[in-house]
């Protein structure tokens, strides 16, 4: 069994090797090297990438765009659909962004249906200089590493995004996208490097991956619906943030969020729901947070007072953000602050249908017991709840 499966592995890797070596002979493979790319990390390959994409996109048979082994510099490039068939984008090497690139986008996929992005390769945003300039230039000047705008039915598997200048991955207006076995990483000290941001999208799965970065690991904005996050190791960063609810007129609800079987290590928060102090109606409901391990997380569960940017809020107006039907189940581990759970809702908008089942969070910071603080939460408790100071 063992030796035959080893033999199989050897054969498979020889096949893959032969396939890559002969890629230019294989119909349907669009190797960027044949479109003028140079793997020296200096030549700008954006046009070569785009030419390969354009031909593959016009092809009606199966088509694979191949970025082989090597380091490829690329300025901003947008891969636009719709294409004639479902494309495979195989990146084996490393694509690096110019250090001084500005603008909204670096690598962008738009209006593409049925994309598979795979190959074990890396998108390196080379962001370290950008992080130090964000205070003087403003963060909106810098590009996101990889954008998916209005894409459907995509699989993003086995790729890495490192050192983005701004966010790593931004998913907007998409439907049915699966991220599997991806590695998103930037130093803890990096600035505005959110891992995966999702907004106005439905049916997004993120599984079996690592996300460690300087800002939110996953950010779910308005219109995030049917989102499934499972088997993720969260390293540094701010954890999962659902948010800035109530900041836009007529914003779409957040609905149907499942986070299951994840481990948070050294993150600022575990699960955070962030609301603006505004008079805009907004809803977040049907959310399940289950089987989560918190290792040295500052605030494992955080729903704090509405956020008032720039101090420009009229506190006389109550926040109109409504949180309902949320389950926290089997969440255990350690926190580094006394406040393991903070759950602040309001008199005008109490949080309803909140269930806590088997919570066990211990303070490893000050040596004092962990606390829970809440207001206006209608909750149902079951199993062991620790800390239970506010229930
Ligand atoms: C993710 O990528 C970073 C940077 O390349 C690397 O240090 C880390 O080991 C990777 N993590 C995983 C879980 O693959
Ligand atoms: C998921 O659950 C399994 C079984 O309890 C566990 O071995 C694994 O470490 C968990 N994964 C994460 C990322 O927490």
């Amino acid at each position: 069994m063992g030796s035959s499966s080893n033999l199989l592995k050897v054969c498979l890797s020889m096949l893959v090797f032969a396939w890559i070596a002969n890629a230019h002979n294989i119909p349907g493979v669009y190797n960027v090297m044949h479109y003028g790319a140079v793997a020296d990390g200096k030549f700008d390959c954006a046009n070569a990438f785009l030419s390969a994409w354009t031909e593959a996109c016009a092809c009606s048979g199966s088509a694979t765009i191949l970025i082989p082994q090597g380091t490829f510099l690329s300025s901003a490039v947008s891969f636009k659909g719709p294409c004639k068939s479902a494309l495979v984008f195989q990146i084996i090497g490393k694509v690096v962004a110019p250090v001084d690139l500005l603008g909204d986008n670096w690598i962008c996929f738009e209006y593409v249906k049925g994309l598979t992005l795979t190959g074990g390769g890396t998108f390196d945003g080379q962001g370290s200089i950008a992080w130090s300039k964000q205070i003087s230039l403003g963060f909106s000047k810098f590009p996101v590493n990889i954008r998916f705008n209005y894409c459907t039915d995509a699989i993003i598997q086995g790729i890495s995004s490192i050192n983005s200048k701004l966010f790593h991955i931004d998913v907007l207006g998409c439907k049915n996208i699966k991220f599997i076995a991806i590695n998103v990483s930037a130093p803890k000290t990096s600035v505005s490097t959110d891992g995966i941001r999702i907004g106005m999208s439905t049916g997004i799965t993120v599984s079996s991956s690592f996300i460690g970065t300087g800002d939110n690991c996953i950010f779910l904005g308005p219109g995030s619906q049917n989102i499934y996050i499972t088997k993720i190791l969260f390293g540094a960063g701010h954890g999962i943030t659902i948010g800035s609810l109530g900041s836009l007129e007529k914003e779409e609800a957040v609905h149907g969020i499942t986070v299951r079987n994840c481990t948070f290590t050294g993150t600022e928060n575990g699960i955070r729901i962030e609301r603006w102090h505004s008079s805009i109606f907004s809803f977040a409901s049907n959310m399940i947070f289950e089987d989560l391990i918190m290792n040295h997380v500052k605030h494992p569960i955080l729903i704090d007072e509405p956020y008032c940017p720039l101090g420009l809020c009229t506190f006389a107006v109550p926040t109109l953000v409504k949180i309902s039907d949320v389950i926290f189940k089997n969440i255990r581990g350690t926190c580094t602050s006394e406040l393991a759970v903070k759950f602040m809702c309001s008199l005008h908008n109490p949080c309803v249908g909140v269930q806590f089942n088997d919570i066990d969070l211990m303070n490893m910071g000050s040596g004092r017991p962990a606390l829970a603080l809440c207001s206006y939460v209608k909750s149902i408790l079951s199993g062991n709840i620790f800390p239970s100071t506010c229930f």
Side-chain angles (χ1 to χ4, degrees):
M1 171 75 194
S3 70
S4 73
S5 82
N6 278 343
L7 188 61
L8 182 66
K9 271 186 204 151
V10 170
C11 291
L12 273 177
S13 55
M14 282 168 69
L15 263 177
V16 168
F17 181 76
W19 184 75
I20 291 164
N22 291 305
H24 61 287
N25 294 328
I26 296 184
V29 175
Y30 296 78
N31 186 334
V32 296
M33 300 309 276
H34 305 131
Y35 295 84
V38 181
D40 64 356
K42 295 190 186 97
F43 179 80
D44 185 349
C45 301
N47 285 333
F49 292 176
L50 197 56
S51 305
W53 171 271
T54 306
E55 275 198 25
C57 183
C59 156
S60 50
S62 74
T64 297
I65 297 130
L66 175 67
I67 299 182
Q69 197 65 253
T71 301
F72 298 85
L73 179 76
S74 175
S75 52
V77 57
S78 269
F79 300 112
K80 290 200 169 75
C83 294
K84 285 260 172 67
S85 66
L87 299 184
V88 176
F89 202 124
Q90 188 177 27
I91 151 170
I92 293 169
K94 186 171 182 178
V95 181
V96 300
V99 168
D100 53 2
L101 183 70
L102 297 174
D104 289 341
N105 305 334
W106 176 36
I107 304 293
C108 181
F109 294 92
E110 286 186 297
Y111 305 101
V112 183
K113 187 174 186 328
L115 175 74
T116 302
L117 177 60
T118 183
T122 299
F123 293 94
D124 180 352
Q126 301 216 83
S128 58
I129 290 176
W131 307 327
S132 65
K133 287 188 174 165
Q134 281 184 0
I135 295 178
S136 54
L137 289 181
F139 74 89
S140 63
K141 293 277 190 296
F142 294 98
V144 169
N145 252 17
I146 314 172
R147 280 188 191 274
F148 297 94
N149 291 338
Y150 311 100
C151 292
T152 52
D153 306 325
I155 296 176
I156 292 86
Q157 182 162 21
I159 61 143
S160 300
S161 170
I162 66 173
N163 300 334
S164 53
K165 290 182 169 65
L166 189 72
F167 318 141
H168 288 270
I169 294 173
D170 190 279
V171 177
L172 177 75
C174 292
K175 206 169 160 181
N176 188 26
I177 312 279
K178 291 187 169 62
F179 293 91
I180 308 164
I182 62 165
N183 178 345
V184 172
S185 74
K188 190 179 175 165
T189 48
S190 62
V191 184
S192 302
T193 52
D194 284 6
I196 303 182
R197 284 180 75 97
I198 299 173
M200 304 297 291
S201 295
T202 180
I204 313 297
T205 300
V206 187
S207 66
S208 307
S209 296
F210 171 81
I211 305 177
T213 191
D215 206 312
N216 301 299
C217 299
I218 293 184
F219 182 91
L220 303 175
S224 296
Q225 303 192 348
N226 303 323
I227 311 293
Y228 190 59
I229 297 166
T230 182
K231 297 197 190 107
I232 311 288
L233 293 172
F234 293 104
H238 298 178
I240 296 180
T241 301
I242 295 175
S244 295
L245 302 173
S247 69
L248 304 168
E249 283 297 343
K250 298 197 175 142
E251 73 181 24
E252 286 201 24
V254 170
H255 183 90
I257 308 295
T258 303
V259 178
R260 184 174 282 143
N261 191 199
C262 295
T263 300
F264 297 72
T265 301
T267 54
E268 176 88 11
N269 307 306
I271 306 295
R272 176 179 193 183
I273 303 177
E274 199 178 64
R275 293 158 305 160
W276 280 50
H277 201 290
S278 73
S279 50
I280 295 171
F281 280 102
S282 177
F283 302 88
S285 64
N286 291 69
M287 301 184 275
I288 303 178
F289 305 103
E290 184 175 33
D291 301 331
L292 307 181
I293 296 176
M294 304 283 167
N295 294 319
H296 291 83
V297 172
K298 195 167 172 197
H299 302 297
I301 298 175
L302 179 65
I303 287 111
D304 43 8
E305 289 88 358
Y307 176 60
C308 180
L310 312 171
L312 297 173
C313 311
T314 39
F315 282 100
V317 182
T319 178
L320 296 178
V321 179
K322 182 97 194 158
I323 297 173
S324 64
D325 301 309
V326 193
I327 299 175
F328 295 93
K329 185 172 174 188
N330 187 25
I331 300 181
R332 58 206 155 84
T334 56
C335 53
T336 55
S337 74
E338 281 168 44
L339 217 46
V341 178
K342 185 175 181 189
F343 215 118
M344 310 303 281
C345 304
S346 66
L347 172 63
H348 296 274
N349 255 322
C351 295
V352 299
V354 181
Q355 296 181 36
F356 290 94
N357 178 338
D358 286 325
I359 308 294
D360 188 0
L361 295 164
M362 231 165 52
N363 176 16
M364 299 300 282
S366 68
R368 283 183 290 219
L371 302 172
L373 184 68
C374 32
S375 59
Y376 304 106
V377 184
K378 291 185 183 159
S379 53
I380 301 166
L381 308 181
S382 56
N384 296 318
I385 306 290
F386 188 84
S388 61
T389 46
C390 69
F391 299 111

